[in-house]
Amino acid sequence: MAGLAESGSNPDVDLLYDINGLAKDAPPWFDRIMEYVGEYGLLLALVLLVLWCWWSVRRRGGEDAASSVAALVWAPLAAGVAVLVNVPIRGFVERPRPFLDHQGLEVLVSGKTDYSFVSDHATITMAMGVGLFVANRRFGLVGIGLALLEGFCRVYMGVHYPTDVVGGFALGTAVVLLLSPLAMALLTPVAKAVERSPRAGRLIRGRGRAAVGQDAVIPGTRRETAGSEERDLAA
């Protein structure tokens, strides 16, 4: 309650205490789970989600396989670019971690000495989630949901203000959407070149899939066409 009194009428700090207060009421084993999930687990989950989406695209094939894989490659690249953009932002704002300015917080991760705004974890996860959404809406919605959970975990752990998380979400989304046309213009030709390769092409299409321009997505199409030609000749 002392921390709430110190927060005054600042909704950012009030929300910080409300969410972090859940950690005080939770059993120690649950806090340890949240610590792992918020620090490493959700990042790993998003990487696995990108790989799962890539496997799905590769297995399905289709004429848009190369562009879909290019969009998937852009998702982690965009997360890296967003983190680089965040470096000067952090240095300019110089916002201390919340536990340095506010007492009574339950801090689940120690050793955080860098600045708080904006959250790297929130930036990375939202960039990957939105990048996934550009490539595949179904997987993207799951990715965005994981990013939102990551933001909650960072506040729950007492290492970020809610506005640090919102700022990270905005930064990750902006980098993905604003640079997506340029990224796709550069990555799609590379993906198509890989697709044409006899060996590396399996990174774009699974074994047995037809090359670009062949309508192998619809089973039996070529057989039906051949059969119709034979019937025409017989007639």
Side-chain angles (χ1 to χ4, degrees), residues 16 20 98-99 105-108 153-160:
L16 165 67
N20 182 254
F99 53 80
L105 292 173
E106 187 76 11
V107 183
L108 302 186
C153 288
R154 303 307 289 177
V155 181
Y156 180 96
M157 295 160 62
V159 294
H160 280 293

Side-chain angles (χ1 to χ4, degrees), residues 113-132:
T113 58
D114 54 345
Y115 294 119
S116 185
F117 185 89
V118 295
S119 167
D120 279 340
H121 281 73
T123 301
I124 292 172
T125 53
M126 186 55 75
M128 293 186 69
V130 175
L132 264 174

Side-chain angles (χ1 to χ4, degrees), residues 84-154:
L84 292 177
V85 173
N86 188 27
V87 172
I89 294 177
R90 280 193 167 194
F92 177 77
V93 177
E94 295 186 349
R95 187 184 200 182
R97 295 279 181 170
F99 53 80
L100 297 177
D101 289 340
H102 303 282
Q103 299 178 355
L105 292 173
E106 187 76 11
V107 183
L108 302 186
V109 179
S110 59
K112 298 291 184 180
T113 58
D114 54 345
Y115 294 119
S116 185
F117 185 89
V118 295
S119 167
D120 279 340
H121 281 73
T123 301
I124 292 172
T125 53
M126 186 55 75
M128 293 186 69
V130 175
L132 264 174
F133 187 81
V134 172
N136 185 289
R137 290 188 177 182
R138 179 166 57 91
F139 282 92
L141 289 175
V142 176
I144 291 173
L146 293 176
L148 294 174
L149 180 58
E150 176 68 39
F152 175 83
C153 288
R154 303 307 289 177

